[in-house]
Amino acid sequence: MKLGVILAALAGLALAAWLVFHVGFSSVLGAVASVGWAGFAILCVFQLALFAVLGAAWYALMPGARMAAFIWARMVRDSAGEVLPFSQFGGILIGARALVLNGYSAPAAFASSTVDLTTELMAQIVLLAIGIGIFVARFGIHSGELPDTTLAGIAFVIAGSIAFIVLQRRGVTLASSLAARLFPAAEQHTQAFGRELEVLYQSPARLASSSFVHLIGWIASSIATWLTIRLIGGHIDIAGAIAIESILCALRSAAVVVPGALGVQEAGYALLLPLFGLPAEMGLAVSLLKRAREIVIGVPVLLAWQGMEGRRAFAAPKT
């Protein structure tokens, strides 16, 4: 692991801990406990259903394949990105690797992962536009409700997303070079990767379908936030939850090098929920419940993935 990633993780962890103790450990813990085991189980089941949606968005790029393989690969991708001490790019790499373990060629797995990331970013831009529209409608364009750091994060993620999309469309060679940076394991298959990428981009209908399903996934993620707030005892409408989640996702994307967006996620919820009349401790509780849900689901998923890797290693012919 690179030193920069380690330092980013430690800084994020320190920020998260400071926020919890600054707001009040007992109040945050009380808000988390108010959900109860039944409520927490509901959140976990909702997340599993969300994985099915996200896997379907990836599958939409490669019809005729097995959807279950893409749902599983998406579960591994998100679990690795949230639970393991990697940047988000590490999770994307491991997710593509999980698809390879299900019988898909490395070029097809990494190319489809790259394009899936593109369509997800496109959907995120749409969600962000919706969220900003909700903020403007409620607070006015000159209200100054959003901190400058949040606005900077939004600008960064929009610019970065557009650049990522445009750079790919400038040519397969450039996209292959980019993928080699993001997915080192695909470097030896660069030409095959380029061909797979060309095929995927030759179907605008598939790209549009994937983006649309990703948008459904983003909205469903916002509903999960709404559900968490309601289970804690807070009152917010779904539109407000969409606004919060759209800005929060932009902040997480801007903090791409921070493993699990440690600290960034906690600060985002603690800053955004008070704008809708909810206490900061509830925002921290939402974040902690989200992380607890990721651990409960992610650890078994990663153990199962490691089991698959182990069986593949033992089955490999001895040389």
Side-chain angles (χ1 to χ4, degrees):
M1 190 188 308
K2 293 183 178 179
L3 179 60
V5 174
I6 296 175
L7 294 176
L10 292 175
L13 184 61
L15 175 59
W18 179 84
L19 285 168
V20 170
F21 285 99
H22 177 73
V23 171
F25 180 78
S26 59
S27 58
V28 174
L29 186 61
V32 171
S34 67
V35 171
W37 290 110
F40 184 68
I42 291 172
L43 295 178
C44 290
V45 170
F46 194 97
Q47 180 60 37
L48 291 173
L50 180 56
F51 278 133
V53 175
L54 298 175
W58 192 349
Y59 165 81
L61 297 170
M62 300 181 69
R66 291 177 291 110
M67 185 184 292
F70 290 87
I71 294 174
W72 170 249
R74 182 63 196 230
M75 292 177 69
V76 173
R77 167 177 157 179
D78 285 7
S79 297
E82 301 296 344
V83 177
L84 297 179
F86 299 142
S87 68
Q88 294 176 45
F89 287 132
I92 295 169
L93 171 63
I94 293 174
R97 172 63 184 172
L99 200 58
V100 173
L101 292 176
N102 271 284
Y104 293 87
S105 68
F110 288 106
S112 66
S113 183
T114 300
V115 179
D116 178 65
L117 180 60
T118 302
T119 57
E120 187 168 15
L121 289 172
M122 293 168 64
Q124 185 180 9
I125 291 174
V126 174
L127 181 79
L128 190 52
I130 294 172
I132 292 174
I134 294 172
F135 266 103
V136 171
R138 294 200 176 184
F139 304 114
I141 193 168
H142 300 298
S143 66
E145 292 289 343
L146 290 177
D148 291 340
T149 52
T150 301
L151 295 175
I154 293 171
F156 176 84
V157 76
I158 292 176
S161 299
I162 293 174
F164 184 81
I165 294 167
V166 171
L167 285 175
Q168 287 189 66
R169 301 310 300 135
R170 283 185 60 189
V172 171
T173 301
L174 185 57
S176 299
S177 175
L178 180 62
R181 282 179 168 271
L182 298 181
F183 311 116
E187 191 170 4
Q188 58 182 320
H189 306 286
T190 300
Q191 291 185 350
F193 168 85
R195 290 192 296 270
E196 292 286 349
L197 203 66
E198 281 186 325
V199 170
L200 290 171
Y201 275 118
Q202 284 173 357
S203 179
R206 295 181 189 176
L207 298 174
S209 297
S210 179
S211 295
F212 178 73
V213 178
H214 269 304
L215 181 58
I216 293 174
W218 283 118
I219 293 173
S221 180
S222 302
I223 294 174
T225 297
W226 169 83
L227 179 60
T228 305
I229 293 172
R230 294 304 300 265
L231 288 172
I232 293 173
H235 296 280
I236 189 173
D237 58 10
I238 292 180
I242 290 175
I244 290 171
E245 197 65 20
S246 67
I247 304 302
L248 193 281
C249 290
L251 292 175
R252 285 179 57 94
S253 296
V256 65
V257 298
V258 182
L262 279 170
V264 176
Q265 176 175 292
E266 285 71 24
Y269 280 123
L271 289 172
L272 292 171
L273 262 66
L275 300 182
F276 291 84
L278 299 170
E281 59 264 27
M282 187 173 289
L284 291 173
V286 170
S287 181
L288 293 177
L289 283 168
K290 187 173 183 178
R291 293 201 184 280
R293 182 193 66 198
E294 290 163 352
I295 292 172
V296 168
I297 295 175
V299 170
V301 167
L302 292 175
L303 289 175
W305 165 66
Q306 279 294 291
M308 295 174 65
E309 288 280 9
R311 286 194 298 272
R312 183 184 179 96
F314 280 115
K318 304 292 184 179
T319 56

